[in-house]
Amino acid sequence: MKTMMNLTTSPEDLARFSSSQDLRRFYTSFGCHGLELLPLLGKDVQPLSQILTPDMIVGVHLNCFGDWMYQDRSFLLEHFRRDLDFARQFQAEYVVFHVTQVTDEESFTYRIRHTDREVVLAACHLINELLDGQSYSFFFLMENLWWAGLNLLDSSVTRLLLDGVNYEKKGLMLDTGHFLHTNHKLRTQREALAYLHAMLDDHEELIPYIRGIHLQQSLTGGYVERWLSQPPALETDPEKRFCQVFTHIFAIDKHEPFTDPEVKNLVLRIAPNYVTYEYITRDRAEHAQFLEKGTRALKQP
């Protein structure tokens, strides 16, 4: 099993490290084998070469869309192929792809327009069009969110997705925090772990497909319940609307460390190839603090 820390190619994230040696010392000090990288700089990877080297990058998180089902197909294919080519250039072992469909309005009201099956079937068509006939060598890991699509609430829907994708090296990326957002009654990490184990009970035959875990948690059900009791109106100005939705989503999905020692048993039960400590942090010091807490939980005897 390889463990990674997450990183983006934003100037703010890369500025935390003075050199590739500095970055390597940082993640190896927490026992991490490398990075799961979210590339944000488009096609030009040359500016990254001073900080990132191919041997650092174990996984690449594709830039995914929430609301994509009615977007132009050629645009979508070009967008994802750019990221897939990036992953191939940096010799990534796996890529991550979100399987969900959600509009800004749905994220505010939780009134969902599509069934999980509708989204999964549409995603299968797109994924097959994207990957069929290609010579990629990485695992294609499909990640759950809490909206319509792959949310892990029904193992038959998960099976529908896996059966519908033609790519041989297909699998799942279990985001533990995303799954917790499907239950607004959770208040403690111990309750969260019991909920995750119940999902695994339902998915018992599919556990071998869980090749990776984004190991994080945020118990924000109380926030969502308060929000839904009186959701605000969406801004009409595009820039204000983006900020409003962005702030709301990250109030739900905080990406904080799992610190309950029982999380180790969850990881052992799944036995994935990859575990990424996927955190949202304000600076290097906070990232180090989160990594220290999260890695300590997996080292418990």
Side-chain angles (χ1 to χ4, degrees), residues 3-175:
T3 58
M4 281 72 62
M5 81 170 206
N6 66 304
L7 187 70
T8 79
T9 59
S10 71
E12 293 80 7
D13 275 2
L14 295 179
R16 298 178 182 185
F17 307 101
S18 60
S19 64
S20 59
Q21 293 81 5
D22 183 36
L23 171 57
R24 194 186 306 275
R25 281 194 298 268
F26 181 80
Y27 67 71
T28 56
S29 70
F30 299 101
C32 292
H33 297 84
L35 305 173
E36 183 180 301
L37 188 72
L38 176 63
L40 299 177
L41 296 183
K43 298 178 181 179
D44 185 7
V45 297
Q46 291 304 116
L48 309 181
S49 59
Q50 293 181 349
I51 298 293
L52 299 170
T53 57
D55 63 301
M56 293 181 176
I57 299 171
V58 180
V60 169
H61 197 310
L62 307 184
N63 288 274
C64 298
F65 298 98
D67 184 11
W68 62 271
M69 284 177 61
Y70 302 102
Q71 290 205 40
D72 178 76
R73 195 68 154 203
S74 59
F75 165 78
L76 289 173
L77 292 171
E78 180 182 358
H79 165 86
F80 286 120
R81 283 176 179 150
R82 179 197 66 203
D83 282 1
L84 292 172
D85 288 344
F86 178 97
R88 178 159 51 190
Q89 179 174 347
F90 275 82
Q91 303 170 35
E93 296 181 23
Y94 70 89
V95 299
V96 181
F97 181 89
H98 285 167
V99 180
T100 196
Q101 163 64 30
V102 61
T103 63
D104 291 346
E105 182 180 352
E106 288 172 293
S107 73
F108 264 44
T109 65
Y110 279 62
R111 293 195 292 269
I112 305 301
R113 300 176 184 177
H114 295 279
T115 68
D116 296 336
R117 289 178 179 272
E118 288 171 341
V119 175
V120 161
L121 289 172
C124 287
H125 287 299
L126 176 63
I127 292 167
N128 288 335
E129 191 171 356
L130 187 64
L131 301 180
D132 284 357
Q134 302 300 315
S135 58
Y136 301 124
S137 61
F138 41 65
F139 284 105
F140 188 85
L141 303 185
M142 295 167 285
E143 180 180 352
N144 59 296
L145 279 96
W146 61 101
W147 311 113
L150 177 64
N151 50 39
L152 302 176
L153 291 173
D154 183 343
S155 59
S156 69
V157 175
T158 310
R159 170 63 74 181
L160 182 69
L161 174 66
L162 291 167
D163 288 346
V165 170
N166 300 330
Y167 190 71
E168 183 178 356
K169 295 181 70 174
K170 60 192 171 186
L172 302 173
M173 174 63 76
L174 167 62
D175 190 300

Side-chain angles (χ1 to χ4, degrees), residues 267-287:
V267 174
L268 289 174
R269 179 180 180 182
I270 297 169
N273 300 62
Y274 310 105
V275 172
T276 298
Y277 300 103
E278 190 182 47
Y279 303 137
I280 297 174
T281 56
R282 290 168 290 189
D283 52 37
R284 177 171 172 156
E286 186 175 54
H287 204 159

Side-chain angles (χ1 to χ4, degrees), residues 217-232:
Q217 60 82 25
S218 44
L219 296 165
T220 53
Y223 164 82
V224 176
E225 289 179 333
R226 291 188 297 274
W227 177 277
L228 291 178
S229 68
Q230 195 172 4

Side-chain angles (χ1 to χ4, degrees), residues 159-194:
R159 170 63 74 181
L160 182 69
L161 174 66
L162 291 167
D163 288 346
V165 170
N166 300 330
Y167 190 71
E168 183 178 356
K169 295 181 70 174
K170 60 192 171 186
L172 302 173
M173 174 63 76
L174 167 62
D175 190 300
T176 53
H178 291 172
F179 182 67
L180 302 184
H181 304 326
T182 65
N183 184 345
H184 302 156
K185 300 302 180 183
L186 300 173
R187 294 295 182 270
T188 69
Q189 288 192 28
R190 193 58 58 94
E191 291 173 348
L193 289 167

Side-chain angles (χ1 to χ4, degrees), residues 179-222:
F179 182 67
L180 302 184
H181 304 326
T182 65
N183 184 345
H184 302 156
K185 300 302 180 183
L186 300 173
R187 294 295 182 270
T188 69
Q189 288 192 28
R190 193 58 58 94
E191 291 173 348
L193 289 167
Y195 187 57
L196 281 158
H197 277 291
M199 179 274 293
L200 293 177
D201 292 342
D202 180 48
H203 283 75
E204 192 71 46
E205 294 182 353
L206 301 179
I207 290 176
Y209 283 99
I210 304 177
R211 298 281 188 172
I213 303 176
H214 284 168
L215 195 61
Q216 56 100 358
Q217 60 82 25
S218 44
L219 296 165
T220 53

